[in-house]
Amino acid sequence: MNVHFTRNRAALAVVGLLLAAAAPTAYASLDTETAPAPTRGTPYIETQLFFGTERPDGGPAVTERQFTAFVDKEVTPGFPGGLTVQDGRGQWRDANGRVEKERSYELILLYPVSAAGANDRRIEGVRRAYEKAFGQEAVARVDDRARVDF
């Protein structure tokens, strides 16, 4: 019986070593950094803008009606192909070091890489216009590459 017990332990040890050696390979296949890029779609830029609604001077928060009017006037003319607006809740540390918790909006724009230069100027204009119109310290911006298929 000791022979079977020792043989089983040896077999289990070998299986354990094989699993341990194979695990990094299995996890590596889940790594999005090394995964092959999708080939479907066209190269686009995705820009996300984050608009806060609380005013640093303590004035009334930007209303949904005001924000919608702003998008209609300042964003839609430059991006008539489409956009997405999502409601959010966020927070950020203002220039005085206070953490401001507020209702916010996320605006998502998708546009071809070839239009990035012209759209960069438009987007920066939108950011400055919102800051000026509603007394905001900043409008956050995130840009990322994407492949888009409609």
Side-chain angles (χ1 to χ4, degrees), residues 62-115:
V62 178
T63 66
E64 184 175 352
R65 175 177 269 157
Q66 289 172 314
F67 186 77
T68 299
F70 175 83
V71 170
D72 290 346
K73 179 183 176 197
E74 299 290 339
V75 184
T76 300
F79 297 91
L83 54 90
T84 299
V85 174
Q86 298 184 56
D87 291 325
R89 299 278 322 152
Q91 68 181 44
W92 92 306
R93 187 180 309 273
D94 68 14
N96 297 318
R98 289 186 308 258
V99 174
E100 297 285 340
K101 295 183 180 187
E102 60 188 332
R103 186 173 48 82
S104 60
Y105 295 99
E106 176 188 13
L107 174 72
I108 302 168
L109 301 167
L110 295 170
Y111 47 91
V113 170
S114 60

Short mmCIF file of all heavy atoms in Angstrom, two decimals, residues 62-115:
data_model
loop_
_atom_site.label_atom_id
_atom_site.label_comp_id
_atom_site.label_asym_id
_atom_site.label_seq_id
_atom_site.Cartn_x
_atom_site.Cartn_y
_atom_site.Cartn_z
N VAL A 62 -26.32 73.92 -12.62
CA VAL A 62 -26.75 73.87 -14.02
C VAL A 62 -27.89 72.87 -14.12
O VAL A 62 -27.77 71.73 -13.67
CB VAL A 62 -25.58 73.45 -14.94
CG1 VAL A 62 -26.03 73.36 -16.39
CG2 VAL A 62 -24.40 74.41 -14.78
N THR A 63 -29.00 73.30 -14.70
CA THR A 63 -30.16 72.43 -14.82
C THR A 63 -30.06 71.56 -16.08
O THR A 63 -29.25 71.85 -16.98
CB THR A 63 -31.46 73.25 -14.91
OG1 THR A 63 -31.44 73.99 -16.14
CG2 THR A 63 -31.62 74.18 -13.72
N GLU A 64 -30.90 70.54 -16.14
CA GLU A 64 -30.93 69.68 -17.32
C GLU A 64 -31.31 70.50 -18.56
O GLU A 64 -30.72 70.32 -19.63
CB GLU A 64 -31.91 68.53 -17.12
CG GLU A 64 -31.92 67.55 -18.28
CD GLU A 64 -32.80 66.34 -18.03
OE1 GLU A 64 -33.28 66.16 -16.90
OE2 GLU A 64 -32.98 65.56 -18.99
N ARG A 65 -32.27 71.39 -18.40
CA ARG A 65 -32.69 72.24 -19.51
C ARG A 65 -31.53 73.11 -20.00
O ARG A 65 -31.31 73.27 -21.21
CB ARG A 65 -33.87 73.11 -19.09
CG ARG A 65 -34.28 74.10 -20.18
CD ARG A 65 -35.49 74.90 -19.80
NE ARG A 65 -36.61 74.12 -20.30
CZ ARG A 65 -37.83 74.20 -19.84
NH1 ARG A 65 -38.13 75.02 -18.87
NH2 ARG A 65 -38.79 73.49 -20.37
N GLN A 66 -30.77 73.70 -19.08
CA GLN A 66 -29.62 74.53 -19.46
C GLN A 66 -28.56 73.69 -20.17
O GLN A 66 -27.98 74.13 -21.17
CB GLN A 66 -29.01 75.20 -18.23
CG GLN A 66 -29.86 76.29 -17.64
CD GLN A 66 -29.30 76.78 -16.32
OE1 GLN A 66 -28.93 75.99 -15.45
NE2 GLN A 66 -29.24 78.10 -16.16
N PHE A 67 -28.31 72.49 -19.65
CA PHE A 67 -27.29 71.65 -20.28
C PHE A 67 -27.74 71.23 -21.68
O PHE A 67 -26.94 71.27 -22.62
CB PHE A 67 -26.97 70.42 -19.42
CG PHE A 67 -25.84 69.62 -19.98
CD1 PHE A 67 -24.53 70.05 -19.85
CD2 PHE A 67 -26.08 68.46 -20.70
CE1 PHE A 67 -23.47 69.33 -20.40
CE2 PHE A 67 -25.03 67.74 -21.26
CZ PHE A 67 -23.73 68.18 -21.11
N THR A 68 -28.98 70.84 -21.83
CA THR A 68 -29.49 70.44 -23.14
C THR A 68 -29.39 71.60 -24.13
O THR A 68 -28.99 71.40 -25.29
CB THR A 68 -30.94 69.94 -23.03
OG1 THR A 68 -30.95 68.80 -22.15
CG2 THR A 68 -31.51 69.53 -24.37
N ALA A 69 -29.74 72.80 -23.70
CA ALA A 69 -29.63 73.98 -24.57
C ALA A 69 -28.17 74.22 -24.95
O ALA A 69 -27.87 74.58 -26.11
CB ALA A 69 -30.23 75.20 -23.89
N PHE A 70 -27.25 74.02 -24.00
CA PHE A 70 -25.83 74.18 -24.28
C PHE A 70 -25.37 73.18 -25.35
O PHE A 70 -24.69 73.56 -26.31
CB PHE A 70 -25.00 74.00 -22.99
CG PHE A 70 -23.53 74.02 -23.23
CD1 PHE A 70 -22.85 75.22 -23.32
CD2 PHE A 70 -22.81 72.84 -23.39
CE1 PHE A 70 -21.49 75.26 -23.58
CE2 PHE A 70 -21.45 72.86 -23.63
CZ PHE A 70 -20.79 74.08 -23.73
N VAL A 71 -25.76 71.92 -25.20
CA VAL A 71 -25.38 70.90 -26.18
C VAL A 71 -25.94 71.25 -27.55
O VAL A 71 -25.23 71.19 -28.57
CB VAL A 71 -25.84 69.49 -25.73
CG1 VAL A 71 -25.68 68.47 -26.86
CG2 VAL A 71 -25.06 69.05 -24.50
N ASP A 72 -27.20 71.66 -27.59
CA ASP A 72 -27.83 72.02 -28.87
C ASP A 72 -27.09 73.17 -29.56
O ASP A 72 -26.92 73.15 -30.78
CB ASP A 72 -29.30 72.41 -28.66
CG ASP A 72 -30.18 71.23 -28.29
OD1 ASP A 72 -29.74 70.06 -28.43
OD2 ASP A 72 -31.31 71.47 -27.82
N LYS A 73 -26.66 74.14 -28.79
CA LYS A 73 -26.01 75.33 -29.36
C LYS A 73 -24.52 75.13 -29.63
O LYS A 73 -24.02 75.54 -30.68
CB LYS A 73 -26.20 76.51 -28.41
CG LYS A 73 -25.54 77.79 -28.89
CD LYS A 73 -25.69 78.92 -27.90
CE LYS A 73 -24.93 80.14 -28.40
NZ LYS A 73 -24.70 81.10 -27.34
N GLU A 74 -23.81 74.51 -28.68
CA GLU A 74 -22.34 74.48 -28.75
C GLU A 74 -21.75 73.17 -29.28
O GLU A 74 -20.62 73.17 -29.76
CB GLU A 74 -21.75 74.75 -27.36
CG GLU A 74 -22.11 76.10 -26.78
CD GLU A 74 -21.44 77.26 -27.50
OE1 GLU A 74 -20.41 77.07 -28.19
OE2 GLU A 74 -21.95 78.39 -27.37
N VAL A 75 -22.47 72.07 -29.17
CA VAL A 75 -21.88 70.77 -29.54
C VAL A 75 -22.46 70.24 -30.86
O VAL A 75 -21.71 69.89 -31.77
CB VAL A 75 -22.07 69.72 -28.42
CG1 VAL A 75 -21.37 68.41 -28.79
CG2 VAL A 75 -21.55 70.25 -27.09
N THR A 76 -23.77 70.20 -30.95
CA THR A 76 -24.42 69.59 -32.12
C THR A 76 -23.98 70.19 -33.45
O THR A 76 -23.73 69.44 -34.40
CB THR A 76 -25.96 69.64 -31.97
OG1 THR A 76 -26.30 68.92 -30.78
CG2 THR A 76 -26.66 69.02 -33.16
N PRO A 77 -23.83 71.51 -33.57
CA PRO A 77 -23.39 72.06 -34.87
C PRO A 77 -22.02 71.51 -35.32
O PRO A 77 -21.81 71.31 -36.52
CB PRO A 77 -23.33 73.57 -34.63
CG PRO A 77 -24.32 73.80 -33.53
CD PRO A 77 -24.19 72.59 -32.64
N GLY A 78 -21.12 71.26 -34.41
CA GLY A 78 -19.80 70.75 -34.76
C GLY A 78 -19.75 69.24 -34.90
O GLY A 78 -18.82 68.70 -35.49
N PHE A 79 -20.76 68.55 -34.36
CA PHE A 79 -20.80 67.09 -34.39
C PHE A 79 -22.20 66.60 -34.78
O PHE A 79 -22.87 65.91 -34.01
CB PHE A 79 -20.39 66.53 -33.02
CG PHE A 79 -18.98 66.86 -32.66
CD1 PHE A 79 -18.71 68.02 -31.93
CD2 PHE A 79 -17.93 66.07 -33.08
CE1 PHE A 79 -17.40 68.36 -31.62
CE2 PHE A 79 -16.62 66.41 -32.77
CZ PHE A 79 -16.35 67.56 -32.03
N PRO A 80 -22.64 66.99 -35.98
CA PRO A 80 -24.01 66.65 -36.38
C PRO A 80 -24.21 65.15 -36.63
O PRO A 80 -25.35 64.69 -36.66
CB PRO A 80 -24.21 67.45 -37.67
CG PRO A 80 -22.83 67.60 -38.23
CD PRO A 80 -21.93 67.74 -37.02
N GLY A 81 -23.13 64.39 -36.77
CA GLY A 81 -23.23 62.95 -37.02
C GLY A 81 -23.73 62.17 -35.83
O GLY A 81 -24.16 61.03 -35.97
N GLY A 82 -23.68 62.75 -34.64
CA GLY A 82 -24.19 62.07 -33.47
C GLY A 82 -23.30 62.22 -32.26
O GLY A 82 -22.11 62.55 -32.36
N LEU A 83 -23.91 61.99 -31.12
CA LEU A 83 -23.21 62.05 -29.84
C LEU A 83 -24.07 61.34 -28.81
O LEU A 83 -25.22 61.02 -29.07
CB LEU A 83 -22.97 63.51 -29.41
CG LEU A 83 -24.20 64.42 -29.38
CD1 LEU A 83 -24.89 64.40 -28.03
CD2 LEU A 83 -23.76 65.84 -29.71
N THR A 84 -23.50 61.08 -27.66
CA THR A 84 -24.24 60.45 -26.56
C THR A 84 -24.03 61.27 -25.31
O THR A 84 -22.90 61.70 -25.02
CB THR A 84 -23.74 59.01 -26.31
OG1 THR A 84 -23.95 58.24 -27.49
CG2 THR A 84 -24.46 58.36 -25.15
N VAL A 85 -25.10 61.49 -24.56
CA VAL A 85 -25.02 62.16 -23.27
C VAL A 85 -25.55 61.20 -22.22
O VAL A 85 -26.61 60.60 -22.40
CB VAL A 85 -25.86 63.46 -23.24
CG1 VAL A 85 -25.87 64.07 -21.84
CG2 VAL A 85 -25.32 64.47 -24.25
N GLN A 86 -24.79 61.04 -21.14
CA GLN A 86 -25.20 60.18 -20.04
C GLN A 86 -25.21 61.00 -18.74
O GLN A 86 -24.32 61.81 -18.52
CB GLN A 86 -24.24 59.01 -19.88
CG GLN A 86 -24.21 58.11 -21.10
CD GLN A 86 -23.33 56.90 -20.88
OE1 GLN A 86 -23.54 56.15 -19.94
NE2 GLN A 86 -22.35 56.72 -21.75
N ASP A 87 -26.21 60.73 -17.92
CA ASP A 87 -26.26 61.36 -16.60
C ASP A 87 -25.26 60.66 -15.69
O ASP A 87 -25.02 59.46 -15.82
CB ASP A 87 -27.65 61.20 -15.98
CG ASP A 87 -28.69 62.04 -16.70
OD1 ASP A 87 -28.36 63.15 -17.16
OD2 ASP A 87 -29.84 61.58 -16.80
N GLY A 88 -24.72 61.42 -14.76
CA GLY A 88 -23.78 60.83 -13.83
C GLY A 88 -23.80 61.51 -12.48
O GLY A 88 -24.50 62.50 -12.27
N ARG A 89 -23.07 60.94 -11.58
CA ARG A 89 -22.80 61.52 -10.26
C ARG A 89 -21.29 61.45 -10.13
O ARG A 89 -20.69 60.42 -10.40
CB ARG A 89 -23.44 60.72 -9.15
CG ARG A 89 -24.93 60.62 -9.20
CD ARG A 89 -25.73 61.77 -8.65
NE ARG A 89 -25.21 62.38 -7.45
CZ ARG A 89 -25.44 63.66 -7.15
NH1 ARG A 89 -26.14 64.41 -7.94
NH2 ARG A 89 -24.96 64.18 -6.06
N GLY A 90 -20.70 62.53 -9.72
CA GLY A 90 -19.25 62.53 -9.63
C GLY A 90 -18.76 63.39 -8.50
O GLY A 90 -19.54 64.00 -7.76
N GLN A 91 -17.46 63.41 -8.38
CA GLN A 91 -16.83 64.30 -7.41
C GLN A 91 -15.45 64.66 -7.91
O GLN A 91 -14.85 63.94 -8.70
CB GLN A 91 -16.77 63.66 -6.03
CG GLN A 91 -15.84 62.48 -5.90
CD GLN A 91 -15.86 61.88 -4.51
OE1 GLN A 91 -16.90 61.70 -3.93
NE2 GLN A 91 -14.69 61.58 -3.99
N TRP A 92 -14.99 65.80 -7.43
CA TRP A 92 -13.62 66.22 -7.74
C TRP A 92 -13.19 67.24 -6.72
O TRP A 92 -14.00 67.87 -6.04
CB TRP A 92 -13.55 66.72 -9.18
CG TRP A 92 -13.75 68.19 -9.40
CD1 TRP A 92 -14.78 68.97 -8.99
CD2 TRP A 92 -12.86 69.05 -10.10
NE1 TRP A 92 -14.60 70.26 -9.40
CE2 TRP A 92 -13.43 70.34 -10.08
CE3 TRP A 92 -11.65 68.85 -10.73
CZ2 TRP A 92 -12.81 71.42 -10.68
CZ3 TRP A 92 -11.05 69.94 -11.34
CH2 TRP A 92 -11.62 71.20 -11.31
N ARG A 93 -11.89 67.41 -6.59
CA ARG A 93 -11.34 68.38 -5.65
C ARG A 93 -11.18 69.70 -6.39
O ARG A 93 -10.47 69.79 -7.39
CB ARG A 93 -9.99 67.90 -5.11
CG ARG A 93 -9.45 68.79 -4.00
CD ARG A 93 -8.10 68.29 -3.47
NE ARG A 93 -8.11 66.90 -3.11
CZ ARG A 93 -8.47 66.40 -1.93
NH1 ARG A 93 -8.88 67.21 -0.99
NH2 ARG A 93 -8.41 65.11 -1.68
N ASP A 94 -11.84 70.75 -5.88
CA ASP A 94 -11.79 72.05 -6.55
C ASP A 94 -10.48 72.78 -6.23
O ASP A 94 -9.62 72.28 -5.49
CB ASP A 94 -13.02 72.90 -6.23
CG ASP A 94 -13.08 73.38 -4.78
OD1 ASP A 94 -12.06 73.30 -4.05
OD2 ASP A 94 -14.15 73.85 -4.37
N ALA A 95 -10.32 73.97 -6.78
CA ALA A 95 -9.09 74.74 -6.61
C ALA A 95 -8.82 75.11 -5.16
O ALA A 95 -7.68 75.38 -4.78
CB ALA A 95 -9.15 76.01 -7.48
N ASN A 96 -9.86 75.13 -4.33
CA ASN A 96 -9.69 75.44 -2.90
C ASN A 96 -9.47 74.20 -2.05
O ASN A 96 -9.40 74.30 -0.83
CB ASN A 96 -10.92 76.20 -2.39
CG ASN A 96 -11.09 77.53 -3.09
OD1 ASN A 96 -10.12 78.24 -3.32
ND2 ASN A 96 -12.32 77.85 -3.46
N GLY A 97 -9.38 73.04 -2.68
CA GLY A 97 -9.12 71.80 -1.95
C GLY A 97 -10.37 71.11 -1.43
O GLY A 97 -10.27 70.08 -0.76
N ARG A 98 -11.54 71.66 -1.70
CA ARG A 98 -12.79 71.03 -1.26
C ARG A 98 -13.20 69.94 -2.25
O ARG A 98 -13.08 70.12 -3.46
CB ARG A 98 -13.92 72.06 -1.18
CG ARG A 98 -13.78 73.05 -0.05
CD ARG A 98 -15.02 73.94 0.03
NE ARG A 98 -15.31 74.55 -1.26
CZ ARG A 98 -15.03 75.82 -1.58
NH1 ARG A 98 -14.48 76.61 -0.71
NH2 ARG A 98 -15.33 76.29 -2.77
N VAL A 99 -13.73 68.84 -1.71
CA VAL A 99 -14.27 67.79 -2.56
C VAL A 99 -15.72 68.15 -2.87
O VAL A 99 -16.53 68.29 -1.96
CB VAL A 99 -14.19 66.40 -1.89
CG1 VAL A 99 -14.89 65.35 -2.73
CG2 VAL A 99 -12.73 66.02 -1.65
N GLU A 100 -15.99 68.35 -4.13
CA GLU A 100 -17.33 68.71 -4.60
C GLU A 100 -18.00 67.45 -5.13
O GLU A 100 -17.49 66.80 -6.04
CB GLU A 100 -17.26 69.74 -5.72
CG GLU A 100 -16.66 71.06 -5.32
CD GLU A 100 -17.59 71.92 -4.49
OE1 GLU A 100 -18.81 71.68 -4.51
OE2 GLU A 100 -17.08 72.81 -3.80
N LYS A 101 -19.15 67.09 -4.56
CA LYS A 101 -19.96 65.98 -5.06
C LYS A 101 -21.11 66.60 -5.82
O LYS A 101 -21.78 67.49 -5.30
CB LYS A 101 -20.45 65.11 -3.91
CG LYS A 101 -19.31 64.43 -3.20
CD LYS A 101 -19.80 63.51 -2.10
CE LYS A 101 -18.58 62.87 -1.44
NZ LYS A 101 -18.96 61.85 -0.50
N GLU A 102 -21.32 66.12 -7.04
CA GLU A 102 -22.31 66.79 -7.88
C GLU A 102 -22.90 65.89 -8.94
O GLU A 102 -22.32 64.88 -9.31
CB GLU A 102 -21.66 68.00 -8.57
CG GLU A 102 -20.48 67.63 -9.46
CD GLU A 102 -19.72 68.84 -9.98
OE1 GLU A 102 -20.31 69.92 -10.12
OE2 GLU A 102 -18.52 68.69 -10.26
N ARG A 103 -24.05 66.31 -9.41
CA ARG A 103 -24.65 65.71 -10.60
C ARG A 103 -23.76 66.13 -11.76
O ARG A 103 -23.21 67.24 -11.78
CB ARG A 103 -26.07 66.24 -10.78
CG ARG A 103 -26.86 65.58 -11.90
CD ARG A 103 -28.31 66.06 -11.89
NE ARG A 103 -28.46 67.50 -11.78
CZ ARG A 103 -28.37 68.35 -12.81
NH1 ARG A 103 -28.15 67.90 -14.02
NH2 ARG A 103 -28.51 69.64 -12.62
N SER A 104 -23.60 65.25 -12.75
CA SER A 104 -22.74 65.57 -13.87
C SER A 104 -23.28 64.94 -15.15
O SER A 104 -24.25 64.18 -15.12
CB SER A 104 -21.31 65.07 -13.61
OG SER A 104 -21.30 63.67 -13.43
N TYR A 105 -22.67 65.31 -16.24
CA TYR A 105 -23.01 64.75 -17.54
C TYR A 105 -21.74 64.26 -18.21
O TYR A 105 -20.70 64.92 -18.14
CB TYR A 105 -23.67 65.80 -18.45
CG TYR A 105 -25.00 66.27 -17.94
CD1 TYR A 105 -25.12 67.47 -17.25
CD2 TYR A 105 -26.15 65.51 -18.15
CE1 TYR A 105 -26.34 67.91 -16.78
CE2 TYR A 105 -27.38 65.94 -17.67
CZ TYR A 105 -27.47 67.14 -16.99
OH TYR A 105 -28.68 67.57 -16.52
N GLU A 106 -21.84 63.12 -18.88
CA GLU A 106 -20.75 62.61 -19.70
C GLU A 106 -21.19 62.71 -21.15
O GLU A 106 -22.25 62.19 -21.52
CB GLU A 106 -20.45 61.15 -19.35
CG GLU A 106 -19.39 60.54 -20.24
CD GLU A 106 -19.22 59.05 -20.02
OE1 GLU A 106 -20.07 58.42 -19.36
OE2 GLU A 106 -18.24 58.50 -20.53
N LEU A 107 -20.41 63.39 -21.95
CA LEU A 107 -20.68 63.54 -23.38
C LEU A 107 -19.66 62.67 -24.11
O LEU A 107 -18.45 62.80 -23.88
CB LEU A 107 -20.53 65.00 -23.80
CG LEU A 107 -20.64 65.29 -25.29
CD1 LEU A 107 -22.08 65.13 -25.77
CD2 LEU A 107 -20.13 66.68 -25.59
N ILE A 108 -20.15 61.79 -24.99
CA ILE A 108 -19.26 60.89 -25.74
C ILE A 108 -19.36 61.24 -27.22
O ILE A 108 -20.46 61.30 -27.79
CB ILE A 108 -19.65 59.42 -25.52
CG1 ILE A 108 -19.60 59.08 -24.03
CG2 ILE A 108 -18.72 58.50 -26.33
CD1 ILE A 108 -20.22 57.75 -23.68
N LEU A 109 -18.20 61.48 -27.81
CA LEU A 109 -18.11 61.78 -29.24
C LEU A 109 -17.24 60.72 -29.91
O LEU A 109 -16.18 60.35 -29.37
CB LEU A 109 -17.46 63.15 -29.45
CG LEU A 109 -18.17 64.34 -28.81
CD1 LEU A 109 -17.25 65.57 -28.82
CD2 LEU A 109 -19.47 64.62 -29.53
N LEU A 110 -17.67 60.24 -31.05
CA LEU A 110 -16.88 59.32 -31.87
C LEU A 110 -16.64 59.98 -33.23
O LEU A 110 -17.58 60.49 -33.84
CB LEU A 110 -17.63 58.00 -32.09
CG LEU A 110 -17.88 57.15 -30.85
CD1 LEU A 110 -18.84 56.02 -31.18
CD2 LEU A 110 -16.57 56.59 -30.33
N TYR A 111 -15.38 59.97 -33.69
CA TYR A 111 -15.09 60.57 -34.98
C TYR A 111 -13.86 59.90 -35.57
O TYR A 111 -13.00 59.37 -34.85
CB TYR A 111 -14.88 62.09 -34.85
CG TYR A 111 -13.97 62.50 -33.72
CD1 TYR A 111 -12.60 62.65 -33.92
CD2 TYR A 111 -14.48 62.73 -32.45
CE1 TYR A 111 -11.77 63.02 -32.88
CE2 TYR A 111 -13.65 63.09 -31.40
CZ TYR A 111 -12.29 63.24 -31.62
OH TYR A 111 -11.47 63.59 -30.58
N PRO A 112 -13.78 59.88 -36.91
CA PRO A 112 -12.65 59.22 -37.57
C PRO A 112 -11.32 59.85 -37.16
O PRO A 112 -11.24 61.06 -36.91
CB PRO A 112 -12.91 59.44 -39.06
CG PRO A 112 -14.36 59.80 -39.15
CD PRO A 112 -14.72 60.45 -37.86
N VAL A 113 -10.30 59.04 -37.11
CA VAL A 113 -8.96 59.52 -36.78
C VAL A 113 -8.56 60.66 -37.72
O VAL A 113 -7.94 61.63 -37.30
CB VAL A 113 -7.94 58.36 -36.83
CG1 VAL A 113 -6.51 58.86 -36.74
CG2 VAL A 113 -8.22 57.34 -35.74
N SER A 114 -8.96 60.56 -38.97
CA SER A 114 -8.60 61.60 -39.95
C SER A 114 -9.19 62.97 -39.61
O SER A 114 -8.71 63.99 -40.09
CB SER A 114 -9.07 61.18 -41.35
OG SER A 114 -10.48 61.01 -41.37
N ALA A 115 -10.22 63.01 -38.76
CA ALA A 115 -10.84 64.28 -38.37
C ALA A 115 -10.36 64.78 -37.01
O ALA A 115 -10.90 65.75 -36.48
CB ALA A 115 -12.37 64.12 -38.36
#
